[in-house]
Amino acid sequence: MERQCRTTRQRLVILEKLRGVTSHPTADEIYSMTRERLPRVSLGTVYRNLDLLARQGEIACLENAGFQKRFDGNTEPHHHVRCRICGRVADVPARFDLPSASGVKVDGFMLTGVRLEFEGLCSDCASSH
Amino acid sequence: MERQCRTTRQRLVILEKLRGVTSHPTADEIYSMTRERLPRVSLGTVYRNLDLLARQGEIACLENAGFQKRFDGNTEPHHHVRCRICGRVADVPARFDLPSASGVKVDGFMLTGVRLEFEGLCSDCASSH
DNA sequence: GTCCATGCAAAAGATTTGCACTGGT
DNA sequence: ACCAGTGCAAATCTTTTGCATGGAC
């Protein structure tokens, strides 16, 4: 069941470039960085390798970016759980104390808010997993 | 400076439909829901109104969905700040205690993880804001 | 009547995918 | 030699935008 996985020059360069920065680049930024070394690499290859490396735990894919936008008619303070399989979102009561971040400065950023997000398995995906 | 804002049937129905569910629908789901009542509404109108309502604070737009994916070569536990203006992301040291969520069940979801996300203004955007 | 909001369609962005070829094993 | 991985291009999906018309005020 373990995936066969060949070591290609493209994957090594992509990983090395990403490990070499702390800027949390987007796929097209990684594409540019990779082309410095491999001018003929394709964007599709970059996406395929980022996906593979993330599934292997070699790199991290940030937060919920890339998902479709979702909207909430409830503007009272509360948290959310997102199903790691299907993306469905449900509410979590706001009963956790969050560090009050406003006004604090971190690494040049003036913080204005915090958000707690849970990740989980919805009942449908849990039963069919 | 306060925006002129006319009350249209479309906006009212979109708001009412969104308020009527707890499912955190996507824009195209809200489009379908709205078409039940206004069959000739357009998807562009739905997007424009969701954007307007969110800016007015009438509804909430979830998390970071809709942004471009970003990748991180650092898989050690740490948090992120995202600039609310330009989307730039930086690291925040993992020094906050998070509720250990794994195994807890909330509203049918089996939790598998938590994530703390900060929102802020990066130095560039703070100076040019 | 004014001019903001709409419907429609096209454009723009980001990401994924089909396919023939390449290269790691 | 085999077949996973690649380059390329087209397709897909989500969101935004231009423009003429409609409707709230």
Side-chain angles (χ1 to χ4, degrees):
Chain A
M1 183 54 66
E2 59 277 6
R3 277 185 67 82
Q4 176 75 296
C5 184
R6 294 175 183 171
T7 307
T8 63
R9 180 186 315 278
Q10 288 85 340
R11 183 170 315 129
L12 288 175
V13 174
I14 288 168
L15 184 55
E16 176 194 304
K17 288 289 184 179
L18 183 53
R19 290 262 167 82
V21 296
T22 59
S23 59
H24 310 82
T26 59
D28 61 290
E29 288 167 347
I30 296 167
Y31 174 51
S32 300
M33 291 156 65
T34 304
R35 268 198 306 184
E36 292 170 5
R37 183 85 74 81
L38 303 172
R40 303 194 59 77
V41 75
S42 76
L43 184 56
T45 294
V46 171
Y47 271 104
R48 278 183 289 231
N49 277 302
L50 289 172
D51 180 60
L52 177 65
L53 289 166
R55 280 188 285 107
Q56 291 181 332
E58 292 289 320
I59 65 173
C61 180
L62 256 67
E63 300 124 29
N64 302 306
F67 282 101
Q68 243 176 306
K69 281 184 183 170
R70 285 180 179 272
F71 298 88
D72 194 343
N74 175 10
T75 54
E76 294 301 306
H78 63 282
H79 310 298
H80 293 118
V81 215
R82 186 186 295 269
C83 176
R84 62 194 310 172
I85 307 293
C86 70
R88 191 176 313 184
V89 173
D91 291 328
V92 177
R95 62 183 165 214
F96 302 99
D97 288 332
L98 292 182
S100 96
S102 298
V104 176
K105 217 164 180 178
V106 175
D107 195 25
F109 280 67
M110 177 61 68
L111 302 189
T112 58
V114 230
R115 199 160 34 222
L116 195 60
E117 293 187 352
F118 294 88
E119 180 190 84
L121 279 179
C122 75
S123 44
D124 287 1
C125 292
S127 56
S128 66
H129 97 295
Chain B
M1 186 52 67
E2 60 276 6
R3 274 185 70 82
Q4 177 73 296
C5 185
R6 295 176 181 170
T7 308
T8 63
R9 182 187 313 279
Q10 287 84 342
R11 184 170 315 129
L12 288 174
V13 175
I14 288 168
L15 184 55
E16 176 194 306
K17 288 289 185 180
L18 183 53
R19 289 262 167 82
V21 297
T22 58
S23 58
H24 310 82
T26 59
D28 61 289
E29 287 166 347
I30 296 167
Y31 174 51
S32 300
M33 292 155 64
T34 304
R35 268 199 305 185
E36 292 170 6
R37 184 86 75 81
L38 303 173
R40 303 194 60 77
V41 75
S42 76
L43 184 56
T45 294
V46 171
Y47 271 105
R48 278 182 290 231
N49 277 302
L50 289 172
D51 181 59
L52 178 65
L53 290 166
R55 279 188 284 108
Q56 291 182 333
E58 292 289 319
I59 65 172
C61 180
L62 257 67
E63 300 125 29
N64 302 307
F67 283 100
Q68 240 176 308
K69 279 183 184 169
R70 285 179 178 273
F71 299 86
D72 195 342
N74 175 11
T75 55
E76 294 301 306
H78 64 283
H79 312 298
H80 293 117
V81 216
R82 186 186 295 267
C83 177
R84 63 194 308 171
I85 308 291
C86 71
R88 192 178 311 183
V89 173
D91 291 326
V92 177
R95 61 184 164 214
F96 302 98
D97 288 334
L98 292 181
S100 98
S102 298
V104 176
K105 215 163 182 181
V106 175
D107 194 25
F109 280 66
M110 178 60 69
L111 302 189
T112 59
V114 230
R115 197 158 38 218
L116 195 59
E117 293 187 352
F118 294 88
E119 180 189 83
L121 279 179
C122 74
S123 45
D124 287 0
C125 291
S127 55
S128 65
H129 98 293

